[in-house]
Amino acid sequence: MTVILNQSFTGVSIGAVLLLIALGLTLTFGQMGVINMAHGEFIMAGAYTTYVLQKPIGDAGVSLLLALPVAFLVAGSMGALLEWLLIRRLYTRPLDTLLVTWGVSLMLQQLARDIFGAPNVQTTAPGLLTGSVSVAGVNLATSRLFILGFALLCVAGLAAILRTTPLGRRIRAVVQNRDLAEVSGIATGRVDRTTFFIGSGLAGMAGVALTLIGPIGPTTGTNYIVDAFLVVVVGGIGRLRGAVITAFVLGLLQSVLEYSTTVSVAKVVVLVGIVAFLQWRPQGLYTVRTRSLV
Amino acid sequence: MTTTSTPPTAAPATEPPAGPPETPFLGRFLGRFRTPAAFLLGAVLLVGVAPLVLSDFRLGLLAKYLCYGIVAVGVSLAWGRGGLLVLGQGVFFGLGGYAMAMHLKLADAAATGETLPDFMLLYGTEGGLPWWWQPFANPAFALAMTVVLPMAVAALLGALVFRRRVKGAYFAILSQALAAALAIWLVGQQATTGGTNGLTGFQGFFGYDLNDPINQRMVYVVIAVALLLLMAAARQLFVSRYGELLIAVRDSEERVRFLGYNPANVKLVAYVVAAGMAGLAGALFVPAVGIISPALIGIVPSIGFVIGAAVGGRASLVGAVLGAIAVAWAQSTLSDAWPAGWTYLQGLLFVVAVGFLPGGLASLRTVLRRRRTSSDRVGATKGVTT
């Protein structure tokens, strides 16, 4: 029983990290059909922001709280800049965007290596987040609980923005029908940039959260990016609900399989499962219904 | 409209526009025989001249680059002509490479009277040789598997994915995830696959001693001939009816479907053939370079297979091959002398080549010519990209 609970908690916390990363992706991928391989490097930027802030501030708790908005701004600005410089020129070529942003990601990784050095660095977690609480005989690491809570908060916040604000309405309009939105007077270019800013900013905050569970390095983002993309592919684009369900299901699946087999076998089984799932729902779990030929 | 699956409307120029009609007779004569003549020249340079003028070391490097060139032939077919962004060619390269390496390891072990390859003795594998290693002792089986295995995996994945019309970015991500999964799996099975170290230290190659430079030269010639033959075959495929159909699927899949073809089958053939070529390249890579390891087949090298083709010109066969060779050359030359610089350059190559010159260097002349003529015209059509 304890084992099951333990594994479930591990799975849920893997899912929470995946969710945090996939949230930004599903936004940009859903709206613009853009595969941003540099998303992982925005995570890395957020993680290094925490590291940089911690030195002058000293207090781990204050610096972590401060790092969240700062990382959002840093990663968001990087994303907006990338959108403005490159991505908006490539809207008709989504596959090429993938390769171009991969090139950007290579350069950003090397930049991090040049600035911070190749070895991983470790930030100090605030005292509150280093222990664990025991519930029903299961030790729950507080850092993991924090990430879970933070991920859910981000989902709620993003959902609220999308559902209630004028910006959210514009974003949804562009996702559903870009051409119609444009003739209705929505400045789709500006909406795109804002979306990219928010999506990349979310990646930055995910990076801050990642500093709590391990050392960070130039390849921190790359380690998560493929899994995060799989979440988006399975969850379906442009819908938060799909990303939330998929992230937790994949996280649980991963942790259960890792427990009963090995890490490497788990990866292969999850991938086979995803290909099988796409046989059933090639557009992913949830999708924006359109009449266009897919 | 769902933006993810928009077919690439701005397709790279595949063929330069036909020359001006007033070409003189000699030019027309040369034009007709240009392709066979260029092919012959390439063959003479690769097989005849290169082994004579290059040192053993340089020839070995060239053999490695040519293996990447063979992969690029497949990439040019699947991606350049078929629009399938194959980000997982490392999987097929690796399957071919490992099939060959397993046979070479077993042959080496048999030559020294052992039953297990040396690394398995080191890790103390229990229960003798794993069952899936055993058939690879047979050279014919192993040779066949270097091509059949990648093609079978590609056929299975392709059939599942294309039939359900999973395409565009989804396909690219799935193929990439496959590369990641295979590399992770290989690392995990250290006792039977050599783990991170991969398989290395081959002594013989079908009875020939690989430590003898003359046999290394023979391996080079085999690779060069394979590349030339595959390029010739790919060109025939490009100019065939199938080649036309493949381009049609790339540019407007729905229209092809309405015409009564099944785009899934068209794409499947390109994907499977490209996988077979990558497998063969992997198999030839093993005796030439002497190692196959997860680091050579994961996500990063898999994307690396694509970048060469992108730089040279994805839709142009010669461009893709030369691009792959040039990028591989630049990588080995620069990454030793200045590793950081190479990474920046590689990133920049992706951005510039794919972002601003989608036809690659092969299209440079066409692009320049078009730019010149369109700037002459008053009010040139806006929004026409290459």
Side-chain angles (χ1 to χ4, degrees):
Chain A
M1 189 61 204
T2 326
V3 170
I4 297 175
L5 284 179
N6 247 327
Q7 288 308 308
S8 323
F9 179 64
T10 314
V12 168
S13 68
I14 296 177
V17 173
L18 279 182
L19 177 59
L20 261 181
I21 297 167
L23 265 188
L25 275 182
T26 195
L27 205 60
T28 52
F29 189 20
Q31 179 176 343
M32 295 175 269
V34 164
I35 315 278
N36 179 17
M37 294 302 274
H39 195 78
E41 275 53 53
F42 298 152
I43 300 171
M44 174 195 80
Y48 274 117
T49 306
T50 326
Y51 173 70
V52 170
L53 282 178
Q54 199 157 65
K55 269 187 186 161
I57 293 179
D59 184 77
V62 176
S63 72
L64 186 73
L65 284 182
L66 195 66
L68 284 172
V70 174
F72 184 85
L73 285 179
V74 168
S77 316
M78 285 168 73
L81 191 69
L82 179 68
E83 202 273 347
W84 181 67
L85 279 177
L86 289 174
I87 290 173
R88 74 192 167 103
R89 298 169 207 275
L90 298 170
Y91 271 147
T92 49
R93 301 188 276 144
L95 286 182
D96 287 356
T97 320
L98 193 158
L99 292 173
V100 168
T101 49
W102 173 265
V104 173
S105 119
L106 279 180
M107 289 194 274
L108 288 177
Q109 269 177 39
Q110 188 57 42
L111 196 66
R113 223 168 270 138
D114 287 347
I115 297 175
F116 300 102
N120 288 359
V121 295
Q122 177 82 57
T123 60
T124 354
L128 198 62
L129 294 179
T130 47
S132 60
V133 287
S134 190
V135 177
V138 182
N139 278 329
L140 309 177
T142 41
S143 58
R144 298 254 176 200
L145 282 178
F146 173 79
I147 292 176
L148 179 60
F150 184 64
L152 293 178
L153 201 69
C154 283
V155 174
L158 194 58
I161 290 177
L162 286 180
R163 204 161 287 179
T164 56
T165 63
L167 171 69
R169 197 166 55 240
R170 286 198 291 270
I171 291 179
R172 279 184 292 137
V174 176
V175 171
Q176 281 172 17
N177 193 329
R178 173 175 292 269
D179 297 336
L180 199 55
E182 188 146 6
V183 293
S184 311
I186 293 176
T188 51
R190 202 181 304 155
V191 175
D192 284 345
R193 203 153 313 137
T194 319
T195 312
F196 224 86
F197 180 80
I198 298 175
S200 310
L202 282 169
M205 296 208 289
V208 178
L210 281 183
T211 61
L212 292 173
I213 53 176
I216 48 166
T219 53
T220 294
T222 323
N223 298 337
Y224 289 94
I225 194 74
V226 174
D227 285 341
F229 268 120
L230 289 178
V231 168
V232 177
V233 167
V234 174
I237 53 172
R239 286 289 176 91
L240 293 184
R241 209 182 314 160
V244 174
I245 295 175
T246 312
F248 286 120
V249 167
L250 283 189
L252 280 171
L253 200 63
Q254 184 100 359
S255 109
V256 168
L257 285 171
E258 272 178 28
Y259 181 75
S260 44
T261 59
T262 61
V263 179
S264 53
V265 175
K267 287 265 180 211
V268 177
V269 173
V270 166
L271 182 70
V272 171
I274 288 173
V275 173
F277 172 82
L278 289 178
Q279 294 301 300
W280 175 51
R281 282 197 169 215
Q283 300 297 311
L285 205 53
Y286 292 99
T287 182
V288 180
R289 291 189 195 284
T290 66
R291 286 188 175 188
S292 70
L293 288 164
V294 190
Chain B
M1 150 183 144
T2 48
T3 36
T4 39
S5 50
T6 320
T9 42
T14 50
E15 293 288 336
E22 67 273 19
T23 323
F25 172 73
L26 187 65
R28 225 163 38 213
F29 180 78
L30 283 179
R32 190 157 171 206
F33 289 100
R34 216 173 60 183
T35 314
F39 182 77
L40 213 61
L41 183 70
V44 167
L45 278 179
L46 273 182
V47 184
V49 178
L52 289 181
V53 297
L54 291 178
S55 67
D56 287 339
F57 174 70
R58 301 245 164 240
L59 201 66
L61 284 180
L62 185 59
K64 178 173 148 188
Y65 307 154
L66 293 187
C67 289
Y68 292 133
I70 294 178
V71 181
V73 174
V75 171
S76 176
L77 175 73
W79 183 39
R81 299 285 166 136
L84 305 166
L85 182 46
V86 280
L87 287 185
Q89 290 306 86
V91 171
F92 310 123
F93 187 83
L95 286 174
Y98 271 93
M100 175 65 89
M102 282 158 74
H103 171 68
L104 295 188
K105 279 316 244 189
L106 288 174
D108 284 352
T112 54
E114 296 279 355
T115 50
L116 288 178
D118 48 6
F119 76 94
M120 283 196 192
L121 296 172
L122 202 65
Y123 298 131
T125 310
E126 321 89 45
L129 200 61
W131 61 268
W132 50 275
W133 267 76
Q134 280 164 9
F136 284 92
N138 182 343
F141 176 83
L143 267 185
M145 275 302 132
T146 61
V147 182
V148 172
L149 203 58
M151 287 174 94
V153 172
L156 187 68
L157 180 74
L160 289 176
V161 165
F162 297 141
R163 200 171 52 86
R164 293 300 291 164
R165 303 184 194 176
V166 174
K167 56 190 169 187
Y170 279 37
F171 171 74
I173 289 169
L174 279 180
S175 66
Q176 187 176 42
L178 187 69
L182 181 67
I184 292 171
W185 183 79
L186 285 170
V187 171
Q189 311 296 310
Q190 181 140 17
T192 49
T193 64
T196 323
N197 301 330
L199 298 177
T200 180
F202 311 107
Q203 302 300 320
F205 179 61
F206 297 100
Y208 294 96
D209 182 9
L210 274 178
N211 297 318
D212 190 350
I214 193 73
N215 289 336
Q216 277 294 345
R217 293 188 163 243
M218 175 198 71
V219 170
Y220 164 82
V221 172
V222 170
I223 291 172
V225 169
L227 174 64
L228 289 165
L229 288 180
L230 287 178
M231 282 179 75
R235 186 184 146 83
Q236 284 317 108
L237 208 54
F238 280 11
V239 297
S240 69
R241 261 170 62 90
Y242 170 77
E244 301 282 325
L245 197 55
L246 188 61
I247 291 178
V249 170
R250 176 193 72 189
D251 291 343
S252 182
E253 185 170 337
E254 292 308 333
R255 206 170 284 188
V256 172
R257 198 191 312 281
F258 294 157
L259 286 172
Y261 293 100
N262 186 353
N265 293 342
V266 178
K267 291 200 275 190
L268 188 61
V269 170
Y271 186 49
V272 170
V273 170
M277 289 182 180
L280 187 66
L284 293 170
F285 183 88
V286 166
V289 182
I291 186 171
I292 186 83
S293 72
L296 289 165
I297 67 175
I299 291 181
V300 177
S302 289
I303 293 196
F305 288 134
V306 169
I307 184 61
V311 169
R314 63 183 85 157
S316 142
L317 185 59
V318 179
V321 172
L322 288 183
I325 294 172
V327 169
W329 169 79
Q331 173 154 25
S332 13
T333 317
L334 282 179
S335 62
D336 290 337
W338 192 33
W342 164 247
T343 314
Y344 283 124
L345 184 68
Q346 199 183 10
L348 208 62
L349 273 180
F350 271 102
V351 174
V352 174
V354 181
F356 299 101
L357 200 60
L361 289 176
S363 73
L364 199 58
R365 228 179 58 193
T366 326
V367 172
L368 290 179
R369 192 189 304 155
R370 190 173 306 167
R371 183 152 298 173
R372 218 170 31 237
T373 47
S374 66
S375 61
D376 292 343
R377 265 204 320 264
V378 184
T381 340
K382 203 185 141 206
V384 176
T385 48
T386 328

